[in-house]
Amino acid sequence: MSPLRYCHHLLAQLVSSGDTVIDATVGNGQDTIKLAQLVGKTGKVYGFDIQETAIEETKKKVQLTGLTEQIKLINDGHEKMNDYITDNTKIQAIVFNLGYLPKGDKSIITLPDTTLSALEQGLNLLNVGGQILMMVYYGHDGGTEEKDAILAYLETLSQEKFSVLQYGFINQKNSPPFLIAIEKRR
Amino acid sequence: MSPLRYCHHLLAQLVSSGDTVIDATVGNGQDTIKLAQLVGKTGKVYGFDIQETAIEETKKKVQLTGLTEQIKLINDGHEKMNDYITDNTKIQAIVFNLGYLPKGDKSIITLPDTTLSALEQGLNLLNVGGQILMMVYYGHDGGTEEKDAILAYLETLSQEKFSVLQYGFINQKNSPPFLIAIEKRR
């Protein structure tokens, strides 16, 4: 199955009713809505996006789905996560889609420094058994640099504390996206 | 889940009663027996191993499990696959464990040339929808060369005909094994 499908498969196993989760890159809002369905009305989804249009468009979609109660959209960069979510809020899952907003301004992309900062904050916020699921799109300008910086960082994570899984096809052209799944082990 | 557990998970989804499958590296016979249970009495498992002790020990285990009917053990290298299995036998799954026989002679290892030859023959024998599942152990002397040769070959496979998935942990010490799953798409 494709990395994206496997990502959704893992999410459905990982997240249940009442959980608190983060969509670190709201984009077109698809994952935000999927997460809101998984956590239900007793759960919470924090959605970050630095692009106002992404937040505004997603707000409209959220209202149409009737999932407003459990979704909090935040028009700020994901590297500001700690300004909005306190350390004692334990997070079951955090989703990242690295790259640019589909159908949006392709010059606005996620960047190594802010992605790494958000990743570190996210690892700290996770429950034991919780996971960060990151779809890495890197075919655009600057994509390879971001991918390499993230992989170099992840390879240094303690294997006692985290397991870092890479899942992807290796015989495809045009830099196909791959999935990184980081589980907090203790 | 670990690459080995994911390999078994994929096998259980892939193989059903009546299928014909190959264990390309019988070793201690664990996968041979697992495969025999999946294909049942109406199916067939061809098991290859170049080491006579591996075949003899596995024969004893097979007799104890009562799965003799569907298992054919062959004391020959997997690169001789085509000498034993005709082109019109369609194969649903082929399992490889690359490296050396656990608890066996660590100087007897799978080697790039014969592994690549077996891999090519295996891809040709597969059903559409069938898969080669390969656990790559590469921590031993010569392991890195074999791994690199195999990855270089697999990256050249046509993405229209095959999808080649790599699944593994990237933050572990001591060269942990990873899984390669190659599906024949058409």
Side-chain angles (χ1 to χ4, degrees), chain B residues 102-168:
Chain B
K103 298 179 193 157
D105 182 345
K106 290 188 173 49
S107 72
I108 305 177
I109 57 175
T110 53
L111 293 166
D113 283 358
T114 43
T115 302
L116 285 174
S117 171
L119 197 49
E120 279 190 75
Q121 293 172 50
L123 290 174
N124 185 45
L125 289 168
L126 277 186
N127 277 329
V128 171
Q131 293 195 30
I132 291 182
L133 297 173
M134 186 176 260
M135 285 294 301
V136 184
Y137 297 83
Y138 63 98
H140 56 285
D141 278 352
T144 301
E145 290 73 9
E146 185 182 38
K147 166 178 80 70
D148 291 345
I150 287 161
L151 290 177
Y153 168 70
L154 293 175
E155 284 165 12
T156 68
L157 289 182
S158 149
Q159 70 182 70
E160 284 74 33
K161 289 188 191 154
F162 299 101
S163 66
V164 184
L165 176 74
Q166 184 172 1
Y167 179 110

Side-chain angles (χ1 to χ4, degrees), chain B residues 2-4 10 15 21 24 34 42 63 76 78 100-101 108 111 117-118 123-124 138 142 150 166 169 171 176 181:
Chain B
S2 75
L4 183 61
L10 289 179
V15 178
V21 300
K34 198 177 292 280
T42 57
Q63 270 152 7
D76 206 342
H78 46 213
Y100 53 79
L101 174 61
I108 305 177
L111 293 166
S117 171
L123 290 174
N124 185 45
Y138 63 98
I150 287 161
Q166 184 172 1
F169 294 125
N171 70 324

Side-chain angles (χ1 to χ4, degrees), chain A residues 1 3 6 9 13 151 154-160 162-174 180-181 183 185, chain B residues 1 3 6 9 13 151 154-160 162-174 180-181 183 185:
Chain A
M1 87 178 82
Y6 191 62
H9 170 77
Q13 289 188 316
L151 290 177
L154 292 177
E155 284 165 12
T156 69
L157 288 182
S158 149
Q159 70 182 69
E160 284 74 33
F162 299 101
S163 66
V164 184
L165 176 74
Q166 183 171 2
Y167 178 111
F169 294 124
I170 62 170
N171 69 324
Q172 294 189 347
K173 290 168 190 149
N174 305 320
I180 293 285
E183 182 177 3
R185 303 183 61 197
Chain B
M1 88 177 81
Y6 192 60
H9 169 77
Q13 288 187 318
L151 290 177
L154 293 175
E155 284 165 12
T156 68
L157 289 182
S158 149
Q159 70 182 70
E160 284 74 33
F162 299 101
S163 66
V164 184
L165 176 74
Q166 184 172 1
Y167 179 110
F169 294 125
I170 62 170
N171 70 324
Q172 294 189 347
K173 289 168 191 148
N174 305 320
I180 292 286
E183 182 177 2
R185 302 183 62 197

